[in-house]
């Protein structure tokens, strides 16, 4: 058909002259179209008129034939009033035409030519496209003529081509007019509509190709129409061509994405084409406009299958940029509006994701799986948070999974706060629908045990409160926080109150209107700890201040109620409520009396400053006769002054109050001596520790005040904290300088005469006098502690207000004061061993365990005293008591410390009573200490039990380690300084224990964390002491040198330094060099191990790096790097780990020749380094550097070497031939140390199973049965002797059970493995099980030769546990019996020993 391949005429062609086919106009007939010729001249082409007339005549003839043919079939084409009229029976009409065209091809050709000519007129084309009337059906419109003709097979393809060729004539139709007009008026859409839902296609491939060709040149609006109709037009055929063509169109113009996706969704594609379609859609995520993204995401998620769902989720996560999706048009719209409207595209995206997740629940599971696999912080994106929130909101069953995943990733540092900020901040309208889910998730996070998770919950609460300013939302946030406060869980309450403190400090005016919702917290103050009481009062203090300055008079009830509650609490005689009132008072003062507060209340109310001063005066008056509340009040006031600048009027009042210090505690001297010598309680006094000599004008009046404390409460209890408050006022008034009170540093102390401290003189004292002496020493020691705390601030950090000469003088005096402190505490500890006394508290403790300890002090003392005089009665009583009431007795701190060996029965303090009974005095006289040398460097065991009653040393005091040096020393030996260093390091160890208690029963609270550390995090503490690490290394090296040299002690060394410090001479006190050196090294090593074990140190790599860098050797042993391919540069953390390990190995070589305890401590520190390396590998380090991965690879390579060397070091300690003369009490009390060393040896060996088999079957059975003189250790294991046999026996049993338990778990995992059970794995497991059986049989058989009850008890206990575990592998043995019957038979036969079976 030539006509079908001609191009259609242009849109602006001349109108057709056709009016009616009856009769046709008489015009000349030109030649037919197929024989048309043109004649051309040489210059200008010309058209023969006769040819044109002939063609017109032909077209007229064809149209006449077409009209006639249709008329014969009862179809009236010429209808002047509308579209053609169709016959009533359309099926008959189509069959008639098909029969005619099939039998006569010429007729078919003439009909098509006539139809083509007819539709050249736009009006005629429109008439044949619109619905027609059917004869006999009245005015009912049905199908169009063209639609009926398209269902005639013989002419369908030609008609389709004709219509497609007519489409370009209507491309220039305005799309706006097109959409506004009806379908009947839009010719292009009418043509496309005629192709839809045809009953059949004669040649779908040709038609599809032609349609796609026309589609490629269509305008956008028509292109979208055609693309969306493709599934209805072409059916299920030629899908490959359609998909390829649509992909090409998407690459050229992404704006057609929506109809393309609709077509993809409606086409029936095979698996290969479906994957191609998914790939096409995924490639469009980044290229299409944001307004089309919801449709694209909905298509992708609904098209997901188990095979491609992970790929789809991954591509959506990585390619979708959820932040900043708004297009330029939307941004311009926002600017025109003048306000920030919610980005509809982002909301639509979330709606699309939410609907898809609800429709296909499997998507939620796959998304969670995908997110679980992410192990880098930079892999997590904002869309991940929204996906989690959508799943959390949509699926009740998966809420727990979402909470678990989010908490885990927050704790590991994989999800940062910034991701949630991008979700919430600036997206109020977007988050509005998800607000309850964010609050619910915050509730879960704030209730978690992990601090990181709680901090995250606090951050989300804060962000929600700040972003949503409406009353309903903020009320919901505050209601959730109040619920947390009422939970009763300490860490949850603490975090909730921290959030409220932040909100109250920043948005106090906004919170005032919500005070009715949070006021109920004040009804439950009794349940709060001290720390939480501070937060509660801080919240309400901010609210009260805002309420007093507000316009609304009704809001002032908050301030009135708070002030009323605090006044009632302060005046309450109960210490519990008074404590609450004092804390509340200071919080109100810090808020009302702040120097930067410019808000004034109404004229009818007192000023804020007046209210603050009244509260201060009332609190001070209520505590005048109560030392403990007054101590608490002063401590809280000191904290307030150090952190807040108060109004000058308040500072003036505090200055006048502390001005009474001199008259209360100081006495004048004449020429450096007491003006008169009086007796106090029958005791003579003298001046101690006078550093200023004859020029000292004053002395501290300790003895007179201590002797008068029997008649009235002692003011000496308040002395240390009063002095600390005085120093704070002095510093604030003089820009940090303490020049106005520096005389107190060198002034002497009025204490009992030193003659009473001989053994004979002490025996002659009465109980009352002994108490006065002990209390005098106690108060003197705490006074000295506060001197160090106060004046170390003048030298630490080289302050500008201290001159060099003054600084050097202060350093010398501080060094002497530290020596005074060591002497005083050593003296007090020594004499408290013979006179049990409960020392007064110098700081208020309110924790339950501390109260429980105080209540039981008298009972424990009575039991201890009775045991000294009646040993037999004690044994009988102990048996009877333990059999009944002791079983149910709740252990106290003293019980735990006693069990751990830190406190003996002689050290248990007594209740403080004014008088001592005659029997108690006689008992003390009968148990007088024998004259003996007193080791100044030993642990003060009696004082340690009451250490919580002492004033704490603050971190500034550790600066003495940097400045202390030998002055006027008789030799260059540093052993005179080591006791001072040892004292400070022990205090450092004590503070580290507050952050990492060694026992679950002993938390940092029950150990009474010192005030200086109560509000300090682990990181802050480590940052403050990291400058000490090099100094500690220096002193540690000096002590190791002393141990290595083994020189004798200079007897005059300590005495000379003690005399220079003003300590009185008391015979019997000495400092053994080797003991001090070993103790100092042991404490340093313990501190290193504690710091490496702190969980927060691996989150602060700078502190960890400083610690490791301080303890580096001169040269690292090359053997450590034997397995490493690439050695990192010095200074890298990985290199520092190896250096510290090498340094401690060198120390171990020295320690192993001198002290078993020291060598063991070095080993434990080496293990801490190895464990720290493991934690470092598990810690996620932010960054994308190559060095991180290289460093980690180095650590992984060197870690097996470190583990192997650690096991060898433990073996060396176990095998070393220890000199029993150097062991304290031989091997008694060394069981715990031997046990730890043995466990390290077994754990870090190459094969623990082989080693257990050798020890249990070959070595342990040959140990001698009793402790004889010949018991010098067994062969190569010198620590294996009769005294330590039970330790070895228990450890082997426990380790064997651990191995068997691991084998059981390994078997379970092996059976669940998808790869199946490999024969070599089964054989390896059976061999290990065989070794475990051999170990337990050998250990059980030892009961034949060892008749100790403990051995038999252990055998029964561990044997039963072994049988329980062994029965779990029976199914595994049965399953693999055929293949490994030999191994299994030997395994069972090894248990045939009747004696072993009896116990098992």
């Amino acid at each position: 058909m030539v006509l079908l391949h001609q191009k259609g005429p242009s849109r602006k062609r001349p109108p057709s002259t056709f009016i009616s086919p009856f009769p046709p106009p008489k015009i000349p007939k030109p030649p037919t179209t197929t024989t048309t010729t043109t004649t051309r001249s040489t210059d200008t082409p010309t058209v023969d008129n006769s040819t044109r007339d002939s063609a017109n005549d032909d077209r007229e003839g064809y149209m006449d034939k077409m009209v006639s043919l249709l008329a014969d079939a009862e179809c009236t084409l010429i209808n002047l009033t509308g579209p053609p009229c169709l016959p009533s029976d359309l099926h008959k009409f189509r069959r008639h035409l098909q029969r005619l065209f099939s039998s006569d091809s010429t007729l078919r050709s003439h009909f098509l030519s006539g139809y083509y000519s007819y539709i050249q007129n736009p009006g005629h084309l429109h008439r044949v496209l619109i619905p027609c009337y059917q004869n006999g059906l009245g005015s009912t419109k049905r199908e169009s003529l063209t639609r009926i003709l398209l269902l005639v097979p013989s002419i369908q393809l030609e008609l389709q081509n004709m219509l497609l060729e007519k489409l370009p004539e209507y491309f220039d139709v305005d799309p706006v007019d097109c959409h506004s007009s009806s379908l009947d008026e839009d010719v292009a859409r009418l043509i496309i509509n005629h192709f839809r839902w045809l009953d059949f296609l004669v040649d779908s491939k040709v038609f599809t190709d032609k349609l796609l060709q026309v589609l490629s040149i269509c305008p956008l609006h028509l292109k979208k129409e055609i693309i969306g109709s493709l599934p209805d037009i072409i059916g299920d055929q030629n899908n490959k061509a359609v998909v390829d063509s649509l992909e090409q169109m998407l690459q050229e113009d992404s704006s057609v994405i929506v109809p393309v996706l609709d077509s993809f969704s409606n086409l029936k594609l095979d698996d290969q084409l479906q994957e191609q379609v998914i790939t096409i859609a995924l490639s469009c995520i980044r290229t299409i406009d944001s307004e089309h993204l919801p449709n694209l995401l909905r298509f992708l998620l609904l098209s997901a299958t188990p095979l491609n769902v992970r790929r789809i989720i991954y591509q959506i996560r990585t390619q979708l940029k959820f932040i900043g999706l708004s297009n330029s048009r939307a941004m311009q719209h926002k600017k025109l509006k003048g306000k920030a409207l919610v980005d509809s595209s982002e909301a639509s995206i979330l709606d699309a994701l939410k609907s898809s997740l609800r429709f296909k629940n499997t998507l939620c599971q796959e998304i969670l799986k995908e997110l679980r696999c992410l192990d880098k912080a930079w892999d997590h994106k904002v869309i991940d948070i929204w996906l989690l929130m959508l799943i959390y909101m949509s699926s009740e069953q998966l809420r727990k999974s979402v909470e678990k995943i989010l908490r885990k990733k927050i704790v590991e540092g994989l999800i940062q706060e910034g991701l949630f900020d991008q979700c919430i901040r600036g997206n109020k309208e977007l988050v509005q629908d998800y607000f309850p889910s964010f609050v619910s998730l915050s509730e879960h996070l704030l209730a978690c045990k992990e601090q990181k998770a709680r901090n995250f919950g606090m951050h989300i609460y804060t962000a929600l409160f700040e972003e949503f300013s409406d009353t309903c939302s903020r009320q919901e946030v505050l209601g959730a926080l109040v619920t947390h406060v009422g939970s009763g869980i300490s860490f949850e309450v603490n975090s909730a109150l921290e959030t409220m403190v932040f909100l109250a400090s920043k948005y106090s005016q906004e919170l005032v209107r919500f005070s009715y919702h949070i006021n109920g917290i004040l009804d439950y103050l009794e349940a709060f700890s001290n720390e939480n009481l501070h937060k509660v009062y801080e919240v309400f203090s901010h609210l009260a201040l805002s309420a007093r300055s507000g316009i609304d008079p009704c809001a002032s009830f908050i301030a009135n109620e708070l002030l009323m509650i605090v006044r009632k609490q302060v005046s309450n005689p109960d210490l519990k409520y008074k404590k609450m009132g004092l804390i509340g008072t200071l919080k109100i003062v810090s808020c009302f009396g702040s120097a930067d507060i410019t808000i004034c209340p109404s004229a009818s109310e007192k000023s804020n400053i007046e209210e603050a001063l009244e509260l201060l005066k009332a609190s001070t008056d209520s505590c005048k006769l109560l030392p403990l509340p007054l101590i608490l009040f002063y401590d809280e006031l000191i904290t307030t002054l150090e952190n807040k600048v108060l109004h000058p009027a308040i500072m003036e009042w505090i200055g006048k109050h502390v001005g009474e210090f001199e008259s209360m505690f100081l006495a004048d001297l004449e020429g450096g001596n007491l003006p008169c010598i009086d007796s106090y309680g029958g005791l003579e006094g003298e001046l101690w520790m006078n550093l200023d000599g004859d020029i000292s004008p004053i002395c501290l009046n300790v003895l007179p005040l201590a002797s008068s404390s029997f008649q009235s409460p002692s003011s000496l209890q308040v002395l240390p904290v009063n002095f600390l408050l005085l120093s704070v006022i002095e510093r604030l008034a003089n820009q940090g300088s303490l020049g106005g009170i520096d005389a107190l540093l060198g002034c002497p102390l009025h204490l009992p005469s030193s003659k009473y401290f001989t053994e004979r003189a002490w025996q002659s004292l009465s109980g009352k006098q002994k108490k006065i002496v002990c209390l005098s020493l106690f108060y003197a020691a705490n006074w000295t502690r506060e001197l160090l705390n106060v004046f170390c601030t003048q030298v630490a950090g080289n302050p500008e207000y201290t001159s060099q000469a003054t600084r050097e003088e202060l350093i010398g005096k501080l060094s002497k004061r530290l020596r005074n402190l060591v002497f005083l505490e050593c003296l007090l500890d020594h004499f408290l061993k013979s006179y049990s006394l409960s020392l007064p508290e110098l700081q208020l403790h309110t924790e339950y365990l501390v109260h429980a300890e105080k209540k039981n002090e008298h009972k424990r003392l009575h039991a201890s005293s009775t045991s000294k005089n009646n040993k037999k009665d004690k044994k009988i009583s102990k048996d009877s008591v333990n059999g009944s009431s002791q079983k149910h007795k709740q252990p106290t701190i003293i019980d735990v410390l006693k069990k751990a060996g830190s406190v003996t029965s002689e050290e248990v303090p007594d209740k403080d009573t004014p008088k001592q009974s005659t029997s108690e005095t006689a008992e003390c006289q009968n148990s007088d200490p024998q004259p003996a040398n007193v080791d100044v460097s030993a642990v003060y065991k009696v004082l340690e039990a009451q250490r919580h009653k002492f004033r704490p040393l603050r971190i500034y005091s550790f600066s003495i380690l940097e400045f202390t040096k030998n002055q006027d020393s008789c030799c260059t030996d540093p052993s005179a300084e080591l006791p001072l260093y040892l004292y400070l390091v022990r205090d450092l160890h004590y503070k580290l224990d507050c952050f990492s208690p060694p026992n679950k029963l002993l938390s940092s609270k029950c150990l009474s964390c010192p005030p200086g550390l109560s509000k300090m995090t682990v990181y802050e503490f480590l940052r403050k002491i990291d400058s000490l690490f090099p100094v500690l290394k220096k002193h540690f090296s000096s002590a190791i040198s002393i141990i290595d040299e083994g020189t004798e002690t200079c007897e005059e060394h300590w005495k000379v330094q003690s005399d220079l410090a003003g300590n009185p001479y008391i015979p019997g006190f000495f400092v053994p060099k080797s003991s001090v050196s070993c103790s100092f090294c042991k404490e340093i090593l313990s501190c290193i191990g504690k710091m490496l074990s702190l969980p927060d140190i691996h989150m602060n790599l700078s502190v960890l790096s400083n610690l490791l860098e301080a303890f580096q050797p001169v040269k690292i042993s090359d053997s450590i790097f034997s397995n490493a391919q690439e050695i990192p540069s010095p200074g890298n953390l990985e290199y520092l780990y190896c250096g510290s390990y090498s340094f401690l190995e060198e120390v171990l070589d020295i320690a192993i020749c001198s002290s078993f305890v020291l060598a063991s401590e070095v080993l434990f520190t080496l293990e801490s380094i190895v464990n720290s390396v493991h934690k470092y590998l598990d810690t996620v380090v932010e960054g994308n550097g190559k060095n991180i991965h290289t460093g980690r690879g180095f650590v992984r390579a060197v870690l097996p070497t470190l583990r192997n060397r650690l096991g060898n070091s433990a073996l060396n300690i176990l095998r070393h031939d220890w000199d029993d003369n150097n062991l304290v009490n031989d091997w008694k009390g060394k069981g715990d140390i031997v046990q730890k060393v043995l466990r390290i040896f077994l754990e870090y060996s190459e094969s623990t199973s082989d080693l257990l088999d050798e020890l249990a079957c070959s070595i342990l059975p040959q140990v001698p049965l009793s402790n004889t003189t010949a018991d010098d250790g067994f062969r190569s294991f010198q620590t294996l002797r009769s005294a330590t046999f039970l330790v070895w026996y228990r450890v082997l049993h426990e380790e064997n059970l651990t191995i068997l338990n691991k084998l059981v778990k390994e078997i379970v995992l092996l059976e669940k493995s998808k790869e199946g059970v490999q024969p070599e794995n089964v054989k390896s497991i059976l061999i290990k099980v065989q070794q475990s059986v051999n170990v337990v049989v050998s250990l059980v058989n030892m009961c034949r030769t060892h008749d100790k009850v403990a051995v038999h008890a252990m055998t029964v206990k561990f044997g039963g546990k072994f049988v329980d575990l062994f029965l779990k592998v029976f199914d595994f043995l049965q399953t693999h019996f055929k293949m490994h019957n030999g191994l299994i038979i030997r395994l069972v036969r090894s248990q045939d020993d009747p004696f072993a079976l009896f116990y098992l």
Side-chain angles (χ1 to χ4, degrees), residues 456-671:
F456 218 95
M458 294 163 56
H459 182 79
I460 298 177
Y461 272 130
T462 304
L464 292 174
F465 186 90
E466 292 176 340
E467 187 64 29
F468 292 85
S469 57
D470 59 289
T471 302
C472 183
S473 300
R474 288 189 166 181
Q475 184 174 326
E476 188 171 351
V477 171
L478 291 175
L481 289 173
V482 172
T483 303
H484 288 298
V485 173
S487 66
I489 304 173
S490 58
F491 56 79
E492 184 178 348
V493 174
N494 183 61
S495 298
L497 287 174
E498 278 188 31
T499 310
M500 296 185 72
V501 167
F502 175 80
L503 296 177
S505 61
K506 194 173 181 181
Y507 306 101
S508 58
Q509 198 64 48
E510 291 85 345
L511 281 181
V512 169
R513 56 177 173 166
F514 300 104
S515 57
Y516 290 101
H517 301 282
I518 62 178
N519 240 18
I521 297 177
L522 294 174
D523 297 332
Y524 301 96
L525 294 176
E526 301 177 18
F528 294 124
S529 63
N530 279 4
E531 183 180 3
N532 290 334
L533 278 174
H534 284 84
K535 295 182 175 66
V536 171
Y537 281 118
E538 186 171 356
V539 170
F540 284 96
S541 295
H542 285 296
L543 295 182
L545 181 64
S546 296
R548 286 170 60 85
S549 59
I551 302 175
D552 186 5
C554 298
S556 61
F557 85 95
I558 305 172
N560 297 334
E561 184 175 357
L562 178 64
L563 293 172
M564 178 184 65
I565 291 174
V566 170
R567 288 191 179 101
K568 285 183 177 180
Q569 290 172 339
V570 167
S571 60
N572 197 308
D574 191 337
L575 180 61
K576 179 180 180 180
Y577 296 101
K578 188 178 289 292
K579 174 204 68 175
M580 298 178 189
L582 295 176
I583 294 175
T585 296
L586 270 302
K587 281 301 175 184
I588 294 174
V589 169
S590 67
C591 193
F592 282 30
S594 178
D596 54 358
I597 295 296
T598 58
I599 302 173
C600 298
S602 60
S604 60
E605 296 179 347
K606 297 179 182 178
S607 69
N608 296 326
I609 304 302
E610 291 174 348
E611 289 284 5
L613 284 174
E614 282 191 9
L615 281 176
L616 281 176
K617 294 174 183 177
S619 299
T620 307
D621 293 340
S622 69
C623 299
K624 280 186 176 180
L625 302 178
L626 301 172
L628 284 179
L630 190 57
I631 290 173
L632 173 66
F633 179 74
Y634 283 164
D635 276 328
E636 293 294 333
L637 183 56
I638 290 168
T639 304
T640 302
L641 292 172
E642 290 177 341
N643 295 281
K644 199 85 171 180
V645 179
L646 298 181
H647 193 273
I650 297 178
M651 295 299 296
E652 181 182 359
W653 181 88
I654 298 175
K656 291 180 180 179
H657 179 73
V658 298
E660 303 173 359
F661 178 86
E662 182 176 358
S663 61
M664 291 176 59
F665 303 108
L666 301 180
D668 295 330
L669 298 180
E670 295 179 359

Side-chain angles (χ1 to χ4, degrees), residues 669 672 687-691 696 698-700 746-750 817:
L669 298 180
L687 296 181
W688 288 31
M689 305 166 183
N690 187 355
L691 303 185
S696 178
I698 55 175
C699 72
L700 188 68
C747 77
L749 286 72
H750 188 185
R817 284 305 182 199

Side-chain angles (χ1 to χ4, degrees), residues 1014-1177:
S1014 58
K1015 297 182 181 180
M1016 190 179 297
T1017 63
V1018 178
Y1019 175 70
E1020 292 171 343
F1021 176 74
L1022 293 175
R1023 289 298 300 173
K1024 288 181 178 294
I1025 66 170
D1026 65 350
S1027 61
L1028 299 176
F1029 297 154
V1031 181
L1032 294 177
K1033 161 67 181 314
K1034 173 186 174 183
H1035 299 324
F1036 180 79
S1037 298
S1038 299
I1040 289 296
S1041 299
I1042 294 174
I1043 295 173
D1044 190 22
E1045 295 171 2
T1047 55
E1048 296 294 331
T1049 304
C1050 177
E1051 297 180 358
E1052 295 296 322
H1053 205 156
W1054 173 261
K1055 183 179 181 300
V1056 170
Q1057 295 297 319
S1058 185
D1059 291 343
L1060 291 173
N1063 293 338
Y1065 174 72
I1066 298 175
F1069 286 76
F1070 74 106
V1071 179
K1073 179 188 292 188
S1074 60
S1075 174
V1076 174
S1077 302
C1078 287
S1079 298
F1080 178 78
C1081 293
K1082 182 176 178 297
E1083 291 295 335
I1084 290 287
L1085 294 169
S1086 297
C1087 290
I1088 295 174
K1090 284 284 173 60
M1091 285 186 280
L1092 291 176
S1093 301
L1094 291 173
D1096 289 357
I1097 196 171
H1098 294 89
M1099 301 299 176
N1100 305 283
L1101 297 183
S1102 60
V1103 177
L1104 178 60
S1105 177
N1106 292 339
L1107 175 62
L1108 296 175
E1109 186 177 6
F1111 292 88
Q1112 294 291 305
V1114 177
K1115 180 182 179 182
I1116 301 179
S1117 174
D1118 295 335
S1119 58
I1120 290 184
F1121 306 126
S1122 58
N1123 294 332
Q1125 297 180 354
E1126 183 179 354
I1127 301 176
S1129 59
N1132 286 358
L1133 191 61
E1134 299 81 12
Y1135 188 89
L1136 295 177
Y1137 268 121
C1138 296
S1140 297
Y1141 194 94
S1142 179
F1143 171 76
L1144 290 179
E1145 277 191 329
E1146 296 175 3
V1147 174
L1148 181 60
D1149 293 337
I1150 299 173
I1152 206 170
C1153 298
S1154 60
S1155 170
F1156 170 76
V1157 175
L1158 179 59
S1160 301
E1161 194 64 46
V1162 177
L1163 180 72
F1164 302 153
T1165 310
L1166 288 173
E1167 185 187 21
S1168 298
I1169 292 179
V1170 174
N1171 292 336
S1172 180
V1173 174
H1174 279 288
K1175 292 179 182 178
Y1176 169 68
L1177 288 176

Side-chain angles (χ1 to χ4, degrees), residues 794-814:
Q794 304 297 290
V795 294
N798 297 319
E800 297 179 355
Y801 46 77
T802 304
S803 65
Q804 183 63 29
T806 304
R807 186 169 181 271
E808 291 179 358
E809 180 184 0
L810 288 175
I811 290 174
K813 288 185 177 180
L814 288 171

Side-chain angles (χ1 to χ4, degrees), residues 667-680 683-687 699 701 703-704 750-751:
D668 295 330
L669 298 180
E670 295 179 359
N673 297 312
L674 293 170
C676 60
I677 300 178
D678 296 328
S679 175
Y680 303 95
L683 296 173
E684 297 180 6
E686 65 182 25
L687 296 181
C699 72
N701 219 10
L703 178 59
H750 188 185
L751 293 174

Side-chain angles (χ1 to χ4, degrees), residues 293-306:
L293 270 174
N295 297 282
L296 177 60
L297 295 176
R298 189 179 290 108
F299 168 79
L300 286 171
L301 293 176
L302 295 181
S303 303
T305 64

